[in-house]
Amino acid sequence: MGLLLVSGILLISTPFIKSKIQSNSIFNVNYNQVTQFIKNTFSDSDKNLSGRAAINKCSVKLVKASPIIGYGLGSANEALIDCYEESNYVREFKGKLNSHNNYFHIYLSGGVIALLAFIFLMIDCITVSRYSFLYLSFLIIIIVNMGFENILFRSHGILFFSIFNSMLYFFVKEDNLNSIKWN
């Protein structure tokens, strides 16, 4: 995954690709936003951060402050909003934005124990899904999406995940149990 990200960044940085992207105004805006996000996320400066870079900065700052137990199930978003206010991220503070990353939210809510429990759940689901392409595809979509959006923060995301994950898990597990022949 890291190799893919580094390869993509190096490919975009080549002069030929850069000139093609910059010649198109739509791609130019997106290219500038992506490069600014990458530079801001990995820099030590907190000046002029906005959007996802500001959210990630505060999330990392809060994780470093309380890595073991987190901030509590109901207080993680409040701690994030307080960090926005302290860091003078006005847009994020006014919008009361959440972490936009399910893994950060779980870590902020319950600490490393909750994150490990969730990862164990995902590993168990992936282990069962090796018998079903449909279930594995569902899990890959959900796992990747959780890195970019906090889907389990709202009730419709929890409902969607719990219904379809439980249904697919049960059917795949039940099918595998029926296929075992006992002599």
Side-chain angles (χ1 to χ4, degrees), residues 11-31:
L11 181 67
I12 289 174
S13 299
T14 60
F16 176 73
I17 300 291
K18 203 176 205 181
S19 67
K20 291 295 182 188
I21 290 173
Q22 289 175 346
S23 66
N24 189 337
S25 63
I26 295 171
F27 289 120
N28 190 18
V29 171
N30 290 336
Y31 174 77

Side-chain angles (χ1 to χ4, degrees), residues 83-110:
C83 179
Y84 298 150
E85 187 175 27
E86 291 170 10
S87 301
N88 202 23
Y89 299 144
V90 177
R91 195 177 120 228
E92 290 75 18
F93 174 72
K94 285 182 180 177
K96 298 183 190 233
L97 298 180
N98 62 17
S99 63
H100 281 69
N101 184 319
N102 220 94
Y103 306 108
F104 267 136
H105 181 75
I106 292 169
Y107 203 131
L108 290 171
S109 296

Side-chain angles (χ1 to χ4, degrees), residues 18-182:
K18 203 176 205 181
S19 67
K20 291 295 182 188
I21 290 173
Q22 289 175 346
S23 66
N24 189 337
S25 63
I26 295 171
F27 289 120
N28 190 18
V29 171
N30 290 336
Y31 174 77
N32 290 336
Q33 288 176 347
V34 169
T35 54
Q36 180 186 5
F37 172 75
I38 292 170
K39 287 177 185 175
N40 290 339
T41 301
F42 296 110
S43 73
D44 292 332
S45 173
D46 284 343
K47 294 180 182 178
N48 299 325
L49 288 183
S50 66
R52 301 272 176 140
I55 292 169
N56 289 340
K57 262 306 187 202
C58 273
S59 295
V60 169
K61 182 179 176 182
L62 291 173
V63 164
K64 286 180 181 178
S66 182
I68 305 298
I69 59 172
Y71 292 90
L73 294 177
S75 302
N77 207 39
E78 292 171 14
L80 203 53
I81 292 169
D82 291 342
C83 179
Y84 298 150
E85 187 175 27
E86 291 170 10
S87 301
N88 202 23
Y89 299 144
V90 177
R91 195 177 120 228
E92 290 75 18
F93 174 72
K94 285 182 180 177
K96 298 183 190 233
L97 298 180
N98 62 17
S99 63
H100 281 69
N101 184 319
N102 220 94
Y103 306 108
F104 267 136
H105 181 75
I106 292 169
Y107 203 131
L108 290 171
S109 296
V112 71
I113 297 168
L115 184 64
L116 289 175
F118 185 74
I119 290 171
F120 177 75
L121 169 75
M122 289 293 114
I123 289 171
D124 181 49
C125 291
I126 289 171
T127 311
V128 169
S129 73
R130 70 179 184 260
Y131 299 108
S132 169
F133 181 72
L134 174 67
Y135 188 29
L136 183 62
S137 301
F138 169 78
L139 286 175
I140 289 171
I141 291 169
I142 292 294
I143 289 169
V144 169
N145 192 16
M146 281 190 218
F148 300 105
E149 191 58 49
N150 199 349
I151 62 174
L152 298 181
F153 187 65
R154 307 221 186 273
S155 59
H156 58 275
I158 294 171
L159 188 64
F160 172 79
F161 178 73
S162 61
I163 288 173
F164 284 103
N165 188 56
S166 300
M167 183 179 62
L168 290 167
Y169 186 93
F170 173 76
F171 287 133
V172 170
K173 190 95 166 159
E174 189 68 24
D175 191 30
N176 291 332
L177 291 176
N178 290 334
S179 66
I180 296 174
K181 306 237 186 216
W182 298 95

